[in-house]
Amino acid sequence: MTYKDVYAEWKSNPEAFWMKAAEAIDWTKAPSKALSELGNDMFEWFADGETNTCYNCVDRHVEAGRGDQAAIIYDSPVTDTKQTITFAELQRDVAAFAGALKAKGIEKGDRVIIYMPMIPQTAVAMLACARLGAIHSVVFGGFAAHELAVRIDDAKPKAIIAASCGIEPGRVVEYKPLLDGAIDLAEHKPEFTVTYQRPQVQASLVEGRDYDWDSVQEGSEPTGCTPVEGNHPAYILYTSGTTGAPKGVVRHTGGHLVALNWTMKNIYNVNPGEVFWAASDVGWVVGHSYIVYGPLIHGNTTVLFEGKPIGTPDASTFWRIISEYDVKSFFTAPTAFRAVKRDDPKVELMKGHDISGLRAIYLAGERADPDTIEWAQRVTGKPIYDHWWQTETGWTIAGMPAGIEELPVKIGSPSVPMPGYDVQILDEAGHPMKAGELGAIAVKLPLPPGTLPTLWNAEDRFRKSYLQQFPGYYETGDAGMIDEDGYLYIMARTDDVINVAGHRLSTGAMEEVLAGHPDVAECAVVGVADSFKGQLPMGFVCLTTGVNRDHSEIAAECVKRVRDQIGPVAAFKLCTVVDRLPKTRSGKILRRTMASIADGQEFKMPATIDDPAILDEISDAVKTLGYPKA
Ligand code: COA
Ligand code: AMP
């Protein structure tokens, strides 16, 4: 079958298409139907089925005779560790840890926050929650205490599972002080915490509240899998929105299993037993879908890599891992390849690493610039497939269906919509646009299985954020176009979300932090282009009348504030004091115009600008930060 056949098969009968895909999942009670319409544009998938995510990821492979196959290969150049965990060993570890959580009172529906780095225990913790029907919410280690506290207050976890530290090149990040700080800041208090003590740091534990990973397991029995309904939340993952409050994307169990399993062969073109590697972090959606769940559901070996593409120890790391473990399909962010290209443009460090077993490289998380794709194609000799998706969807909206048919690659396009997604380009009034015309990218409802059914405890926000603008459609927040051949092009975000080194961040959240500085009266944060990280945040602050302090000191305090409150991952290092911000006559800050000035791009003078002279002041201010770049 060609891609066109498969897409048409889905379109003609989505119900039959997804029921067939659901046969690859083990259910304790098979679903009687795929889609449930709840009314008011709300949908759920496989709601009346019963299954367990952990069973599908682990136990069923052991029962099918794959117990000795590697489930997880942990490769950690930052700790000089390599470890292979078989499916049988993973089952033993997960059953034991789930038993310990159960003994401490964790049951189906309880929320558990996981604040851990890229170590196998993180996957064990996630799977243990899934085993019990508990709903995990993993928080990325690069977020600071305040961000963690916001998530604690929203998810209201009964327990938090952490590690004593994460390891960044050149520094050890102690997690426990951040966790303690977050619990102090949060109104909601977890009943208990569990900390995995890494050799690098022994975290101090509070008697009666904090337990050690090993000792909490003493005396408890390993436990089996609790069946849950298809529409039971498997996890909540917070992602950046327009405001400082992150959105809790909910993932339902049944659709998650069915959709991810489908993608492993049809998109990533791997067969059970083969090695798949997503070089991301479990704190992001890529880590959820393609370090932990997708490969394990499908019976693949997943590589859990604790390191960076460069500097741990050098730009040979990608090639070493691909060759050492015979990786068949590799997924990373374009920024990672930009890093390798910058350090080793002629890939001299590839010598001695045989990557001939690799079939293809998949890029996502941010726009893949043509230079990087062309370079990667040239030096690896492999197909480079850009694909476009979001935390909300959990899997590819548009990509290359390599396991069905390898279509021609068009550089600059993440290729074509996947079955399940009826992607359309709409004008401001919600009318479909013609091929080649630029507009808002929307997906006709219902979204396919595995995508978000709602936001955690925030159905109103879900509607406002995604369903309100274009009735009958899901608004992606991206703008772009579709060409005559049906290939999609992603051009820009339509909101205040920026993408820094493949990390999705909210400029609104940074503005809230800057506005909290006692000397700041008003501020704006915009995303400026960066040849390495894609975008970088740049802050402009106006001071409260009467403040007469050194501007560079205030700017430095603002930088520190964002690092302390949001975290180092915000990469907020560019900040300048200005007298005024450019606004429309109705008072809207002209952020896009400011970004164009910093990028050195031509822009159209906004017709409603209040005082055009302010733009010259902005132009002078960005020069002090070294912008526009030559
Ligand atoms: N815990 C604590 N701190 C973290 C962290 C974590 N898990 N992850 C990143 N940070 C810190 C970094 O140490 C850095 O701190 P610094 O300002 O003191 O140097 C800061 O956050 C910014 O990190 P990052 O943007 O990752 O920059 P980097 O220079 O350390 O690395 C890349 C650049 C390109 C190598 C890296 O961003 C990368 O590998 N990106 C791939 C993107 C990716 O996986 N995206 C997920 C979606 S596919
Ligand atoms: P996240 O939710 O962190 O995965 O970020 C999703 C957003 O990242 C999308 O809405 C896009 O703005 C951007 N993005 C992800 N993948 C791509 C891609 N392949 N091309 C362009 N932008 C992308």
Side-chain angles (χ1 to χ4, degrees):
M1 287 234 275
T2 64
Y3 156 74
K4 277 207 169 110
D5 296 334
V6 176
Y7 192 82
E9 185 194 330
W10 159 71
K11 214 163 180 192
S12 69
N13 193 346
E15 182 72 16
F17 184 90
W18 291 118
M19 284 301 272
K20 193 166 129 205
E23 288 169 13
I25 296 305
D26 281 34
W27 305 85
T28 40
K29 180 175 158 242
S32 69
K33 58 177 183 164
L35 183 70
S36 302
E37 296 197 26
L38 308 183
N40 241 344
D41 276 346
M42 303 287 281
F43 302 89
E44 287 179 350
W45 291 92
F46 308 109
D48 71 353
E50 263 181 26
T51 182
N52 180 280
T53 299
C54 183
Y55 180 79
N56 277 281
C57 288
V58 184
D59 301 64
R60 68 165 173 165
H61 302 308
V62 178
E63 288 167 18
R66 290 181 175 276
D68 292 336
Q69 183 198 308
I72 298 177
I73 294 171
Y74 169 53
D75 189 299
S76 169
V78 290
T79 59
D80 207 11
T81 312
K82 292 177 188 176
Q83 185 191 356
T84 298
I85 300 163
T86 65
F87 276 102
E89 288 164 342
L90 186 61
Q91 184 186 37
R92 179 199 63 201
D93 293 352
V94 172
F97 191 63
L101 292 178
K102 187 175 174 185
K104 296 231 56 71
I106 297 294
E107 43 188 52
K108 182 184 165 199
D110 288 338
R111 271 84 58 214
V112 175
I113 280 188
I114 298 175
Y115 187 53
M116 296 176 82
M118 286 290 288
I119 54 177
Q121 289 73 17
T122 311
V124 169
M126 292 164 77
L127 291 163
C129 290
R131 200 169 184 83
L132 298 172
I135 304 164
H136 65 63
S137 187
V138 181
V139 179
F140 177 62
F143 283 125
H146 169 77
E147 287 294 308
L148 183 54
V150 169
R151 286 155 176 79
I152 294 174
D153 276 334
D154 198 68
K156 303 202 173 16
K158 199 180 228 180
I160 301 183
I161 305 169
S164 58
C165 64
I167 293 156
E168 282 297 290
R171 80 193 148 99
V172 171
V173 182
E174 289 199 35
Y175 280 16
K176 195 59 181 15
L178 296 170
L179 174 57
D180 288 342
I183 295 175
D184 283 348
L185 282 171
E187 272 177 37
H188 172 85
K189 308 291 173 197
E191 285 177 20
F192 68 97
T193 78
V194 178
T195 296
Y196 178 76
Q197 301 278 19
R198 302 189 76 184
Q200 295 78 9
V201 171
Q202 284 296 299
S204 58
L205 305 180
V206 177
E207 179 88 36
R209 187 197 72 180
D210 299 339
Y211 296 87
D212 164 73
W213 178 275
D214 294 319
S215 51
V216 79
Q217 298 187 52
E218 282 164 17
S220 60
E221 290 292 315
T223 191
C225 299
T226 304
V228 301
E229 302 76 22
N231 61 355
H232 178 72
Y235 69 77
I236 307 165
L237 179 60
Y238 288 90
T239 190
S240 300
T242 299
T243 66
K247 296 167 167 170
V249 168
V250 174
R251 193 86 57 216
H252 280 176
T253 301
H256 183 228
L257 288 168
V258 173
L260 290 190
N261 187 68
W262 185 90
T263 63
M264 292 309 297
K265 177 64 194 166
N266 292 292
I267 298 176
Y268 300 105
N269 200 15
V270 283
N271 301 310
E274 292 179 335
V275 181
F276 180 85
W277 180 25
S280 176
D281 189 288
V282 277
W284 306 113
V285 71
V286 177
H288 281 63
S289 295
Y290 294 111
I291 295 173
V292 181
Y293 291 115
L296 295 181
I297 296 165
H298 195 245
N300 290 104
T301 301
T302 183
V303 179
L304 199 125
F305 167 64
E306 187 182 30
K308 303 259 176 178
I310 51 166
T312 61
D314 56 35
S316 69
T317 303
F318 278 179
W319 321 126
R320 172 184 67 79
I321 292 186
I322 291 167
S323 113
E324 195 166 329
Y325 305 118
D326 196 17
V327 172
K328 294 290 176 207
S329 198
F330 175 48
F331 178 169
T332 191
T335 194
F337 269 112
R338 286 198 291 272
V340 174
K341 180 176 163 221
R342 195 178 64 175
D343 274 22
D344 185 22
K346 296 201 175 116
V347 287
E348 276 156 18
L349 296 170
M350 200 194 272
K351 281 194 198 102
H353 301 296
D354 175 9
I355 64 161
S356 58
L358 185 71
R359 292 189 190 115
I361 295 170
Y362 294 77
L363 299 178
E366 59 175 327
R367 200 180 90 84
D369 55 291
D371 274 3
T372 304
I373 297 198
E374 278 161 11
W375 174 83
Q377 272 176 342
R378 199 174 60 247
V379 302
T380 63
K382 304 288 173 186
I384 312 291
Y385 298 138
D386 182 14
H387 60 323
W388 168 66
W389 51 294
Q390 321 178 300
T391 306
E392 288 85 344
T393 64
W395 61 283
T396 308
I397 309 171
M400 176 62 69
I404 302 172
E405 181 187 5
E406 292 187 40
L407 301 169
V409 168
K410 292 197 189 190
I411 290 186
S413 163
S415 303
V416 293
M418 290 299 102
Y421 294 97
D422 181 352
V423 181
Q424 306 214 2
I425 308 295
L426 304 180
D427 67 14
E428 277 179 18
H431 302 125
M433 301 179 79
K434 292 200 204 81
E437 287 179 348
L438 189 66
I441 312 178
V443 182
K444 207 154 195 305
L445 294 173
L447 290 175
T451 57
L452 85 170
T454 187
L455 293 175
W456 183 252
N457 276 341
E459 192 181 309
D460 274 0
R461 188 172 182 202
F462 171 71
R463 292 181 172 290
K464 274 196 201 110
S465 307
Y466 304 109
L467 306 183
Q468 196 166 287
Q469 178 74 15
F470 304 118
Y473 292 87
Y474 164 82
E475 185 190 2
T476 64
D478 285 307
M481 61 171 190
I482 299 179
D483 74 8
E484 301 279 355
D485 300 323
Y487 279 60
L488 195 64
Y489 291 77
I490 315 297
M491 313 304 277
R493 286 290 301 190
T494 56
D495 56 12
D496 296 324
V497 165
I498 58 169
N499 206 310
V500 181
H503 308 313
R504 172 167 162 181
L505 299 165
S506 160
T507 54
M510 294 185 218
E511 288 179 2
E512 282 179 28
V513 172
L514 297 182
H517 187 291
D519 295 342
V520 171
E522 219 186 0
C523 62
V525 175
V526 302
V528 298
D530 182 72
S531 59
F532 175 40
K533 294 200 176 188
Q535 279 186 299
L536 283 176
M538 181 182 280
F540 299 83
V541 296
C542 304
L543 304 185
T544 312
T545 317
V547 172
N548 206 3
R549 296 176 49 214
D550 181 41
H551 285 184
S552 57
E553 222 171 78
I554 295 175
E557 287 165 9
C558 286
V559 166
K560 182 168 182 311
R561 250 183 118 76
V562 174
R563 190 176 174 94
D564 289 349
Q565 292 195 27
I566 295 183
V569 68
F572 182 78
K573 292 180 180 165
L574 301 167
C575 186
T576 180
V577 174
V578 290
D579 286 338
R580 300 171 297 171
L581 294 172
K583 292 184 184 167
T584 61
R585 282 188 282 277
S586 61
K588 196 171 168 292
I589 298 173
L590 291 163
R591 292 183 178 78
R592 226 155 272 247
T593 311
M594 294 165 77
S596 299
I597 293 172
D599 288 343
Q601 272 180 357
E602 299 251 327
F603 62 90
K604 221 169 104 200
M605 181 65 75
T608 54
I609 191 165
D610 186 34
D611 179 0
I614 302 181
L615 296 184
D616 294 332
E617 294 170 27
I618 296 297
S619 178
D620 291 342
V622 300
K623 279 188 196 130
T624 65
L625 297 171
Y627 283 76
K629 295 272 183 210

